[in-house]
């Protein structure tokens, strides 16, 4: 029986699997005895290393294809929407870029992308473009109506008043027990709201 273990090194972005020499050193430093290899074990180990090599190539190939994706004016809207809505799984919830889908669908993403690139932004860095867009998108003329519809669709609540807090943030009030109560804070720029 041949046992093999591996761990990803998170200290760099390459996420390379350790080579067999570093695994041996780790095993020795933890006082884990090396199993004696029989002829059969050596053959199995050789096959395993060959398989690991193929797996490592697939991982590398996958990473290379991610790095080599090309974002253009023709596909940037679709790609940035997908990134904002579904592509931030590696980030902590508080660090994620958040937009209302209805606001995101109305944003002029291509114009913002052109502006971002013209100002020296990396045309292939989707995360940085999404952050730029979130800070620089113009506030839509009908943002209040869009937000009120979103809030009603999601929570069944009707906004009775909006109070400006600072920058693009507003406190939305709803009626509860015949009283106006603060309900959520909304960004007029992105439509994202939270309680």
């Amino acid at each position: 029986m041949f046992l093999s273990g591996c761990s990803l090194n998170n200290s760099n972005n390459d996420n390379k699997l350790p080579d067999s020499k570093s695994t041996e050193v780790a095993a020795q430093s933890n006082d884990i005895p090396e199993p004696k290899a029989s002829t059969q074990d050596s053959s199995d180990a050789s096959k395993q290393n060959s398989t690991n090599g193929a797996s490592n190539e697939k991982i590398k190939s996958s990473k290379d294809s991610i790095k080599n994706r090309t974002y253009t004016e023709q596909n940037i809207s679709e790609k940035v929407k997908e990134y904002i809505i579904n592509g931030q799984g590696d980030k902590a919830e508080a660090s994620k870029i958040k937009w209302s889908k209805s606001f995101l669908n109305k944003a002029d993403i291509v114009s913002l992308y052109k502006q971002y690139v013209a100002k020296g932004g990396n045309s292939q860095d989707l995360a940085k473009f999404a952050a730029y867009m979130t800070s620089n998108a113009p506030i839509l003329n009908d943002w209040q109506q869009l937000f009120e519809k979103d809030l009603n669709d999601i929570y069944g609540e009707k906004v009775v008043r909006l109070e400006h807090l600072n920058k693009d943030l507003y406190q939305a009030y709803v009626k509860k027990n015949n009283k106006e109560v603060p309900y959520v804070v909304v960004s007029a720029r992105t439509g994202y709201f939270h309680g």
Side-chain angles (χ1 to χ4, degrees):
M1 173 191 233
F2 178 74
L3 297 175
S4 170
C6 66
S7 65
L8 294 177
N9 180 355
N10 290 329
S11 64
N12 65 30
N13 290 335
D14 293 335
N15 289 333
K16 294 179 183 171
L17 296 173
D19 60 18
S20 60
K21 191 167 203 140
S22 65
T23 305
E24 288 172 20
V25 171
Q28 289 170 0
S29 68
N30 290 327
D31 296 327
I32 299 171
E34 287 279 333
K36 292 184 182 178
S38 68
T39 309
Q40 182 64 36
D41 289 341
S42 295
S43 172
D44 290 345
S46 176
K47 287 178 186 173
Q48 182 69 27
N49 285 340
S50 148
T51 303
N52 282 347
S55 295
N56 288 345
E57 286 303 313
K58 285 180 185 175
I59 291 169
K60 185 177 180 195
S61 173
S62 173
K63 287 181 183 175
D64 288 345
S65 69
I66 290 169
K67 286 180 185 175
N68 293 329
R69 286 187 182 149
T70 302
Y71 303 110
T72 64
E73 291 175 17
Q74 288 75 31
N75 71 7
I76 193 62
S77 289
E78 173 190 331
K79 298 298 181 185
V80 81
K81 286 177 187 179
E82 176 64 25
Y83 173 77
I84 290 171
I85 294 168
N86 299 316
Q88 302 178 75
D90 58 335
K91 289 184 174 183
E93 194 62 31
S95 301
K96 290 183 178 180
I97 295 169
K98 298 178 181 174
W99 279 70
S100 152
K101 285 182 184 179
S102 57
F103 278 63
L104 194 54
N105 286 332
K106 288 193 82 171
D108 187 353
I109 295 170
V110 173
S111 292
L112 287 162
Y113 183 69
K114 287 178 184 178
Q115 191 180 82
Y116 167 75
V117 172
K119 289 183 177 185
N122 179 347
S123 64
Q124 301 309 304
D125 192 330
L126 196 59
K128 285 189 179 171
F129 169 62
Y132 173 87
M133 185 177 104
T134 300
S135 297
N136 294 283
I139 294 173
L140 301 168
N141 290 334
D142 61 345
W143 78 266
Q144 291 180 9
Q145 292 82 13
L146 286 172
F147 161 64
E148 289 172 5
K149 182 176 182 340
D150 280 353
L151 189 70
N152 189 271
D153 289 349
I154 294 168
Y155 293 112
E157 295 290 350
K158 184 176 179 184
V159 176
V160 293
R161 180 168 65 93
L162 288 167
E163 177 184 319
H164 184 251
L165 299 174
N166 65 25
K167 298 181 183 178
D168 65 343
L169 298 178
Y170 288 79
Q171 176 71 61
Y173 290 81
V174 298
K175 278 227 174 177
K176 295 281 185 185
N177 299 323
N178 290 326
K179 292 182 184 178
E180 280 187 10
V181 294
Y183 195 68
V184 294
V185 173
V186 61
S187 164
R189 189 175 314 280
T190 66
Y192 175 73
F193 56 87
H194 59 87

